[in-house]
């Protein structure tokens, strides 16, 4: 009796609660102060004022990533990113970071398939410093043989530390090669092949800079405690006279075509347990089906109450860990599964269970409660994701760069909330054919084929 | 949008790993290699522009902490930070690894994990489903000093979230069947971790540095996992999860009065119990350098950990030591990074740190370097450790270090979650309530001689412990120029020893590594 009543009360509270969440969330998003502008040289500027704390985040996103690399130059976009910290006309070698750190800030840059970003958070009275540093390297990067050799070595060390010496990381690179096949932009890794890093010539650095690092190929995004009009004057002063240049439009190859299942087994000497990847081709991020696929992935693998975590890790105990998600690329995307087996279990056991679960959703769909849970998670993630100046400046920059309008971020939640149970059932029945699937098994130990003398 | 999710919720999820491959220099960059490097720009260039000066700094005051106490002694701290409709609630149990029984290292961590595996009212799966349905997150963990159970939720869900937090922390079932499952997962996790060179280095370093002192345990081990029984968990929970041994920190869009009421409702029935005071075994006090190589054939890199016992967090010399460490290796603008990475290209990053502990905490310098330069890197580490402990920092270096540490403070308080962490730090280390209000000023007051004086006391290259995990055949013997070398397998089996071949102490007695 008592229990039943408790459940009813709880259910009623939740119902009221989630309506309230929806309003709060929509408010938090639509209350975002976003100002967009652009300079005559084509630099797009996004400003988001929020005076919660006296800090300011500055992000610059360039429309170049490893997808723009040509064959034989894998890893170059990332190697170039390192060069951006090596000095420019008014900034000495080694000074970029020290100027920021020594004034109380922090900074970094990252390279992905789709873009390269640079970002810093500073005390709000140092906004001019962040803008000046970004403008100086956009205008006048210092490219020397010495800097280049130093950064080439650093990147090779980064590869050894983060990939070659770690369990299960080499397979993360291999699954993309296998699934994307001839689709070079996403088939090759962002970190690059060792040999390509060794072969990269100094001349390519200037060429890369001239090709991609133009103001009209970038978005500058500022979030935090500042005044937009004052900031625009500073932006104009530092960036306004950087000349626009013709930049190439990304020549998107025909999307990857797969006609039959691909499978491969690789060995990982640093691993202790078998593991596997499964990848399915899906449409690009923010295409209509992508939202439904994201929610499907949440139902299957997000959190400890998700279907696959409960069945594979907790009930059957055949997996040590399982992760499911869309990779969220601008171009042709993947729906990815990654799992590490529990000791004594082979990948096949878990793979069969996952395929059966996908088939069950294509057949019966997800429950109302699962769908509502996934949407509650997304609503909350939007609010938590807006907390820091850095997170806001990056999300807004990305929307401006990829989708031409930072304000679209304010509407983004609506697309997720609009996904219906029927949509999920439909996409589950559309994308998970065997012929669209790539499976990579990872076995612990050295490759027996390579052990012969 | 998905990346927020997976990074925050799934932990070691798929996209985290994908992003790793993509990420750049963890802190790509450079530092106070002062003006000399400007020459790279060539001579005929116009006079370089100076970077813009800061505008007037804004004053920042921290929101007040409202403190109340329940009848059972449980302290409730609340902080109002209401820009977004979110709330973070953290229950802190003032016992962690320091209170593990000697035969069960990691017990506190296992207790924390089992909290989420079911309560007397319902299964772990039901608890997870309810919290996740709210769009909230629940976590439980432990470290050297404390055990934590936390929840983050939208403000509307505050009452529900507090209810689940209290249920999980106060009435865990510790079901035998769930414990068996957890043990199996833990054994697999440990086996995997033992393949990771940084994990091996960390575990070996802390064990060697602290001996039987509880800080010597960085993780549980297979023996303890196999041995632990349900009654061990229950006993530890009963003893430590009591009012006088716990406090609550709630930050976000909340009303302190409502927080007190909710705390009374959810935690008011806990036993007062008593505050658990740990006993610390004395760690070894070495009088000479020791070099321990853990052989990992096939390694493409050597992971180096190097350091000594240093200082307790509450010690008044903590701040000057933090300033000295900032000059040495606290960031990508510090000497170690500038030299080992930017100048010599030995590594992707080299840093040093002093860890916050109630009892004596360690000073540690660390880097992963390619195997061929292991020797050179260790020489470089010693060179920098000697310099920081023998000479006062240059005025500009000191100024920069202090400015970084003081001016970056607003970044430590920009979300309710971070504000909560500051309060946890106050309570854990017994710092005065106005500590953070005076923090920046204390940093700015540090003088060069103070920084050097504390560095000399707490950074001691002459009796450093050095742990290197890598392919020993390539470098172990050559390390004898720095001190006596012992080579072991990852299981601790002795493989080789090389005698001390340091040149006999001439002038300072400190050994210089062969550089260049």
């Amino acid at each position: 009796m008592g229990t039943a009543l408790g459940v009813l009360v709880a259910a009623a509270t939740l119902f009221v609660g989630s309506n309230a969440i929806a309003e709060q969330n929509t408010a938090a998003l639509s209350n975002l102060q976003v100002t967009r502008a652009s300079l005559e040289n084509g630099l797009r500027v996004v400003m988001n004022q929020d005076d919660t704390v006296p800090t300011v985040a500055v992000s610059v996103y360039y429309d170049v990533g490893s997808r723009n690399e040509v064959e034989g130059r894998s890893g170059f976009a990332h190697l170039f990113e390192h060069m951006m910290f090596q000095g420019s006309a008014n900034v000495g070698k080694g000074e970029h970071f020290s100027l920021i750190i020594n004034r109380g800030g922090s900074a970094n840059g990252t390279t992905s398939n789709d873009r390269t970003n640079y970002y810093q958070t500073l005390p709000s009275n140092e906004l001019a410093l962040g803008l000046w540093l970004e403008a100086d390297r956009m205008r006048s990067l210092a490219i020397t043989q010495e800097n280049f050799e130093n950064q080439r070595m650093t990147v090779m060390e980064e590869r050894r530390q983060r990939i070659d010496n770690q369990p299960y990381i080499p397979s993360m690179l291999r699954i993309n090669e296998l699934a994307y096949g001839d689709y070079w932009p996403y088939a090759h890794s962002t970190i690059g092949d060792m040999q390509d890093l060794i072969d990269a010539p100094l001349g390519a650095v200037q060429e890369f800079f001239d090709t991609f690092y133009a103001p009209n190929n970038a978005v500058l995004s500022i979030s935090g405690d500042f005044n937009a009009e004052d900031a625009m004057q500073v932006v104009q002063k530092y960036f306004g006279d950087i000349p626009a240049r013709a930049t190439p439009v990304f020549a998107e190859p025909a999307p990857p075509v797969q006609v039959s299942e691909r499978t491969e087994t690789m060995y990982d000497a640093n691993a202790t347990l078998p593991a596997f990847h499964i990848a399915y081709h899906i449409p690009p991020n923010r295409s209509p089906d992508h939202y439904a696929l994201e929610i499907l992935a949440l139902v299957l693998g997000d959190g400890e109450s998700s279907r696959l975590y409960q069945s594979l890790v907790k009930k059957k105990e055949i997996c040590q860990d399982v992760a499911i998600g869309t990779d969220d690329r601008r171009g042709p995307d993947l729906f990815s599964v990654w799992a590490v087996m529990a000791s004594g279990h082979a990948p096949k056991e878990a793979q069969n269970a996952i395929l059966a679960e996908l088939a069950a959703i294509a057949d019966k769909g997800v429950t109302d409660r699962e769908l509502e849970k996934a949407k509650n998670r997304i609503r909350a993630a939007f609010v938590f994701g807006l907390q820091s100046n850095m997170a806001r400046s990056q999300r807004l920059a990305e929307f401006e760069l990829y989708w031409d309008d930072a304000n679209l971020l304010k509407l983004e939640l609506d697309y997720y909330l609009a996904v219906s149970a029927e949509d999920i059932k439909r996409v589950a029945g559309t994308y998970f054919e065997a012929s669209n699937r790539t499976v990579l098994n990872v076995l612990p130990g050295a490759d027996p084929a390579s052990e012969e003398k | 949008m998905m990346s927020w999710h997976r990074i925050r919720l799934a932990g070691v999820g798929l996209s985290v790993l994908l992003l790793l491959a993509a990420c750049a220099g963890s802190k790509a960059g450079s530092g106070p290699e002062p003006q000399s490097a400007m020459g790279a720009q060539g001579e005929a260039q116009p006079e370089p522009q100076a970077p813009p000066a800061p505008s007037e700094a804004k004053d920042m005051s921290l929101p007040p902490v409202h403190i109340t106490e329940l009848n059972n002694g449980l302290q409730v701290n609340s902080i109002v930070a209401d820009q977004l409709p979110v709330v973070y609630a953290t229950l802190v149990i003032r016992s962690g690894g320091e209170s593990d029984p000697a035969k069960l290292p990691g017990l506190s961590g296992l207790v924390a994990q089992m909290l989420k595996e079911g309560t007397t009212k319902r299964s772990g799966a039901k608890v997870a489903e309810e919290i996740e349905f709210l769009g909230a997150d629940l976590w439980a963990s432990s470290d050297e000093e404390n055990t934590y159970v936390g929840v983050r939720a939208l403000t509307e869900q505050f009452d529900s979230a507090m209810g689940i937090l209290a249920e999980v922390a106060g009435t865990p079932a510790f079901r035998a069947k769930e414990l068996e499952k957890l043990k199996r997962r833990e054994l697999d996790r440990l086996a995997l971790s033992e393949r990771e060179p940084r994990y091996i280095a960390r575990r070996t370093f802390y064990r060697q540095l602290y001996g039987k002192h509880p800080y010597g345990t960085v993780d549980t081990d297979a023996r303890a996992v196999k041995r632990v029984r349900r009654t061990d968990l229950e006993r530890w929970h009963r003893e430590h999860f009591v009012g006088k041994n716990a406090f609550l920190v709630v930050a976000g869009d909340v009303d302190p009065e409502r927080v007190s009421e909710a705390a009374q409702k959810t935690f008011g029935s806990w036993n007062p119990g008593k505050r658990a005071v740990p006993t610390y075994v004395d760690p070894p006090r070495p009088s000479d350098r020791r070099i321990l190589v853990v052989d990992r054939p096939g390694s493409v890199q050597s992971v180096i950990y190097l350091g000594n016992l240093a200082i307790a967090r509450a010690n008044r010399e903590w701040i000057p030591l933090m300033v000295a460490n900032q000059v040495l290796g606290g960031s990508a603008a510090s000497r170690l990074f500038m030299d080992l990475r930017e100048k010599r290209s030995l590594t992707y990053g080299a840093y040093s740190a002093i860890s916050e502990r109630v009892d004596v905490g360690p000073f540690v310098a660390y880097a992963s370097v390619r195997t061929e330069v292991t020797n050179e890197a260790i020489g470089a580490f010693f060179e920098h450790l000697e310099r920081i402990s023998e000479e006062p920092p240059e005025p500009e270096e000191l100024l920069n270090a202090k400015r970084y540490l003081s001016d970056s403070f607003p970044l430590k308080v920009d979300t309710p979650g971070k504000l909560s962490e500051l309060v946890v730090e106050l309570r854990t280390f017994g710092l005065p309530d106005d500590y953070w209000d005076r923090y920046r000023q204390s940093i700015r007051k540090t003088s060069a001689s103070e920084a050097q004086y504390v560095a000399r006391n707490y950074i001691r290259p002459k009796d450093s412990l050095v742990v290197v995990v890598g392919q020993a055949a390539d470098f172990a013997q050559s390390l004898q120029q720095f001190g006596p070398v012992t080579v072991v397998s990852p299981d601790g089996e002795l493989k080789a020893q090389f005698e001390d071949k340091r040149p006999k102490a001439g002038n300072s007695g400190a050994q210089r590594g062969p550089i260049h």
Side-chain angles (χ1 to χ4, degrees):
Chain A
M1 230 353 233
T3 323
L5 187 64
V7 170
L8 282 175
V9 172
T13 316
L14 290 177
F15 184 68
V16 173
S18 48
N19 283 334
I21 298 174
E23 283 161 29
Q24 278 280 358
N25 254 292
T26 313
L29 270 180
S30 56
N31 288 345
L32 270 187
Q33 300 291 315
V34 178
T35 311
R36 299 167 64 227
S38 62
L39 303 188
E40 273 179 32
N41 60 16
L43 178 70
R44 286 158 284 172
V45 185
V46 181
M47 290 173 289
N48 160 233
Q49 290 170 253
D50 180 321
D51 61 3
T52 305
V53 284
T55 70
V56 65
V58 177
S59 300
V60 179
Y61 277 57
Y62 289 93
D63 198 350
V64 58
S66 57
R67 71 173 190 166
N68 304 83
E69 291 161 354
V70 294
E71 293 195 42
R73 292 272 167 81
S74 68
F76 200 82
H78 170 240
L79 177 56
F80 184 89
E81 174 227 304
H82 277 243
M83 291 297 290
M84 287 285 277
F85 293 96
Q86 293 300 308
S88 45
N90 298 296
V91 180
K93 174 176 163 58
E95 280 191 347
H96 191 100
F97 262 79
S98 60
L99 274 168
I100 288 171
I101 292 173
N102 294 335
R103 297 219 196 156
S106 64
N108 210 339
T110 69
T111 309
S112 78
N113 290 161
D114 291 327
R115 52 82 190 140
T116 309
N117 70 0
Y118 301 86
Y119 50 90
Q120 43 262 298
T121 306
L122 288 154
S124 54
N125 62 323
E126 296 284 7
L127 173 61
L129 174 69
L131 296 172
W132 181 82
L133 283 167
E134 288 297 356
D136 207 53
R137 62 183 172 182
M138 186 185 286
R139 177 191 292 108
S140 60
L141 190 64
I143 298 165
T144 69
Q145 184 72 41
E146 188 199 350
N147 291 351
F148 187 53
E149 287 312 322
N150 172 273
Q151 289 311 306
R152 187 208 307 274
M153 299 288 269
T154 300
V155 169
M156 286 163 64
E157 222 43 52
E158 179 178 356
R159 185 180 161 115
R160 289 189 188 97
Q161 179 176 328
R162 304 174 82 160
I163 295 175
D164 301 334
N165 220 24
Q166 299 296 331
Y168 303 120
I169 308 294
S171 66
M172 301 272 163
L173 273 49
R174 181 63 191 148
I175 184 66
N176 289 327
E177 288 176 358
L178 211 54
Y180 280 110
D182 294 336
Y183 192 81
W184 162 260
Y186 292 157
H188 77 281
S189 72
T190 303
I191 190 79
D193 293 338
M194 267 309 187
Q195 195 57 49
D196 286 354
L197 292 172
I198 292 167
D199 293 343
L202 177 67
V205 183
Q206 187 67 52
E207 189 188 314
F208 200 83
F209 181 76
D210 292 341
T211 309
F212 295 110
Y213 278 71
N216 43 309
N217 204 39
V219 169
L220 166 67
S221 175
I222 311 167
S223 284
D225 180 21
F226 68 101
N227 175 290
E229 280 160 33
D230 297 349
M232 235 6 242
Q233 285 183 10
V234 181
V235 169
Q236 179 63 42
K237 178 174 151 199
Y238 292 146
F239 290 87
D241 62 351
I242 303 173
R245 288 192 301 274
T247 53
V249 176
F250 174 59
E252 178 141 15
V257 178
Q258 186 170 341
V259 292
S260 62
E261 183 173 10
R262 294 172 192 158
T263 57
E264 188 176 287
T265 296
M266 68 180 279
Y267 289 85
D268 183 336
N270 291 318
T272 52
L273 296 163
F276 66 88
H277 300 260
I278 304 177
Y280 293 95
H281 294 282
I282 57 169
N285 195 14
R286 293 191 82 248
S287 52
D289 280 0
H290 202 278
Y291 295 101
L293 286 160
E294 287 180 53
I295 293 192
L296 171 60
L298 291 180
V299 170
L300 287 172
D302 172 53
E304 290 178 16
S305 68
S306 63
R307 282 195 188 193
L308 292 179
Y309 185 84
Q310 276 300 320
S311 73
L312 302 181
V313 179
K314 298 305 285 291
K315 290 207 184 80
K316 295 183 188 150
E317 297 187 81
I318 58 176
C319 287
Q320 178 72 0
D321 200 2
V322 58
I324 295 123
T326 52
D327 293 352
D328 302 347
R329 293 178 180 85
R330 296 167 80 174
D333 200 22
L334 295 179
F335 186 97
S336 298
V337 180
W338 178 67
V340 179
M341 302 309 298
S343 52
H345 294 275
K348 197 77 200 162
E349 291 177 63
Q351 287 164 10
N352 288 338
I354 291 167
L355 301 189
E357 202 65 72
L358 285 168
I361 291 179
D363 184 29
K364 299 199 184 73
V366 298
T367 67
D368 290 347
R369 173 106 180 157
E370 282 176 315
L371 180 59
E372 196 178 342
K373 180 178 72 171
K375 289 182 178 178
N376 288 346
R377 300 279 281 172
I378 290 171
R379 285 187 186 115
F382 264 93
V383 177
F384 289 121
L386 296 175
Q387 289 189 94
S388 75
N389 289 328
M390 180 52 73
R392 284 193 306 277
S393 83
Q394 294 196 348
R395 291 294 292 169
L396 291 166
E398 192 182 293
F399 266 76
E400 184 69 35
L401 185 75
Y402 292 176
W403 318 110
D404 300 322
D405 186 353
N407 277 311
L408 289 173
L409 176 62
K410 296 183 190 175
L411 305 175
E412 189 64 0
L413 180 57
D414 299 344
Y415 291 99
Y416 290 92
L417 300 184
V419 170
S420 69
E422 196 46 49
D423 293 330
I424 296 174
K425 194 173 161 193
R426 179 177 50 75
V427 296
T430 306
Y431 294 99
F432 300 108
E433 295 290 332
S435 59
N436 191 34
R437 180 163 70 219
T438 304
V439 179
L440 174 62
N441 293 307
V442 185
L443 299 180
D447 187 346
S450 69
E451 292 226 319
E452 332 237 317
K453 298 264 148 135
Chain B
M1 97 131 289
M2 297 308 298
S3 51
W4 301 347
H5 262 282
R6 272 182 260 126
I7 287 169
R8 306 211 71 127
L9 308 181
V12 203
L14 188 61
S15 70
V16 177
L17 292 167
L18 289 171
L19 190 72
L20 272 182
C23 252
S26 103
K27 288 166 184 168
S30 304
E33 194 62 10
Q35 279 40 10
S36 64
M38 292 294 286
Q41 306 309 323
E43 280 112 79
Q45 302 284 336
E47 193 73 1
Q49 281 171 29
S55 57
E56 198 179 331
K58 277 207 185 168
D59 205 20
M60 183 200 61
S61 57
L62 291 168
V65 183
H66 301 266
I67 306 169
T68 56
E69 200 170 293
L70 306 185
N71 290 336
N72 58 17
L74 191 143
Q75 187 194 56
V76 181
N77 301 269
S78 18
I79 306 165
V80 181
D82 56 4
Q83 290 74 25
L84 285 169
V86 300
V87 57
Y88 288 70
T90 314
L91 175 75
V92 183
I93 303 299
R94 313 195 60 158
S95 304
E98 29 80 314
S99 303
D100 291 342
K103 286 194 166 174
L104 293 172
L107 177 63
S108 52
L110 295 171
V111 168
Q113 291 193 68
M114 277 300 289
L115 296 178
K116 291 178 71 181
E117 300 300 341
T119 68
T120 52
K121 252 168 59 187
R122 51 190 160 170
S123 69
K126 287 239 168 67
V127 172
E129 206 278 340
E130 185 169 333
I131 199 87
E132 288 168 12
F133 187 81
L134 300 177
D137 294 298
L138 173 75
W139 63 91
S141 64
S142 76
D143 61 19
E144 286 79 1
E145 329 282 3
N146 294 323
T147 299
Y148 308 88
V149 194
V151 65
R152 147 186 121 154
L154 296 171
T155 301
E156 287 74 12
Q157 308 296 0
F158 176 63
D159 288 328
S160 311
M162 280 285 282
I164 296 172
L165 175 67
E167 179 187 336
V168 163
T171 57
F174 296 125
R175 289 189 185 89
K177 196 175 150 211
E178 292 296 334
L179 179 60
E180 285 315 305
K181 291 185 176 197
L182 176 68
K183 285 172 135 190
R184 191 200 52 68
R185 291 201 301 275
E186 280 292 284
L187 291 174
D188 277 354
R189 179 187 66 80
L190 286 167
L192 180 57
S193 298
E194 281 158 12
R195 293 294 181 93
E196 289 169 18
R198 280 185 59 180
Y199 179 88
I200 301 170
R202 230 174 85 78
R203 195 186 57 184
T204 309
F205 180 83
Y206 281 88
R207 176 57 67 212
Q208 291 295 318
L209 191 68
Y210 279 99
K212 291 193 158 64
H213 188 288
Y215 297 166
T217 302
V218 300
D219 196 357
T220 186
D221 59 36
R223 219 162 61 172
V225 170
K226 286 178 188 155
R227 183 184 280 162
V228 72
R229 289 161 312 163
R230 179 185 177 182
T231 48
D232 298 316
L233 302 174
E234 285 174 336
R235 186 180 313 123
W236 200 90
H237 178 266
R238 197 165 49 237
E239 229 169 85
H240 297 99
F241 282 60
V242 291
K244 286 183 180 160
N245 198 44
F247 62 92
L248 185 70
V249 182
V250 179
D253 177 17
V254 288
D255 165 18
E257 265 177 47
R258 236 189 100 204
V259 171
S260 294
E261 283 164 25
Q264 178 61 42
K265 205 172 119 196
T266 48
F267 293 98
S269 61
W270 276 31
N271 286 329
K274 58 175 196 262
R275 171 81 196 273
V277 181
T279 47
Y280 297 106
V281 183
D282 280 341
R285 292 281 175 181
S287 54
D288 196 9
R289 207 177 267 176
R290 294 147 298 153
I291 301 168
L292 186 66
V293 176
V294 182
D295 189 22
R296 189 172 177 269
S299 257
V300 294
Q301 280 192 321
S302 296
V303 180
I304 301 170
Y305 271 62
L306 188 159
N308 53 261
L309 296 175
I311 193 171
R313 177 65 180 84
N315 189 312
R316 276 186 311 170
E317 290 177 333
W318 170 270
I319 284 180
L321 183 58
M322 183 175 68
V323 171
N325 181 69
Q326 178 62 25
V327 172
L328 173 66
S331 77
S334 304
R335 289 176 184 174
L336 289 174
F337 190 96
M338 287 308 300
D339 187 31
L340 274 75
R341 167 166 157 160
E342 293 297 297
K343 198 162 149 210
R344 304 195 206 193
S345 305
L346 306 180
T347 178
Y348 178 54
Y351 300 94
S352 64
I354 35 173
S355 301
E356 297 173 290
R357 296 283 190 276
V358 171
D359 198 26
V360 61
F363 161 78
V364 196
Y366 54 96
S368 294
V369 306
R370 63 180 187 282
T371 306
E372 313 88 85
V373 298
T374 307
N375 201 308
E376 181 182 352
I378 291 175
F381 269 120
F382 277 129
E383 185 184 287
H384 288 289
L385 266 55
E386 279 155 15
R387 190 171 152 218
I388 197 76
S389 58
E390 286 168 11
E391 299 166 14
E394 302 292 329
E396 193 181 337
E397 283 182 297
L398 181 72
L399 181 74
N400 287 336
K402 294 198 294 188
R403 198 149 59 166
Y404 168 73
L405 292 169
S406 60
D407 292 4
S408 64
F409 187 69
L411 296 176
K412 284 180 79 170
V413 299
D414 63 356
T415 63
K418 291 188 195 172
L419 285 167
S420 299
E421 285 168 24
L422 292 187
V423 178
V424 172
E425 226 176 301
L426 289 184
R427 304 290 174 255
T428 300
F429 303 111
L431 304 172
D433 282 343
D434 63 349
Y435 185 83
W436 297 119
D437 301 317
R438 292 186 294 108
Y439 179 70
R440 284 176 293 171
Q441 203 45 45
S442 313
I443 292 167
R444 291 179 185 130
K445 275 193 335 220
T446 303
S447 69
S449 59
E450 229 179 328
Q452 189 212 336
Y453 169 77
V454 296
R456 197 175 61 205
N457 272 345
Y458 297 114
I459 300 177
R460 298 185 301 272
K462 282 183 207 164
D463 57 18
S464 289
L465 168 66
V466 184
V467 169
V468 187
V469 179
Q471 179 153 295
D474 290 356
F475 58 80
Q477 188 163 4
S478 72
L479 298 183
Q480 59 187 165
Q481 65 181 301
F482 301 114
V485 180
T486 304
V487 183
V488 297
S489 73
D491 320 325
E493 184 197 339
L494 181 66
K495 296 183 88 172
Q497 278 184 307
F498 302 104
E499 63 180 24
D500 187 356
K501 283 207 177 158
R502 270 174 291 185
K504 287 286 172 266
N507 33 25
S508 73
Q511 162 66 20
R512 296 263 167 194
I515 305 307
H516 304 303

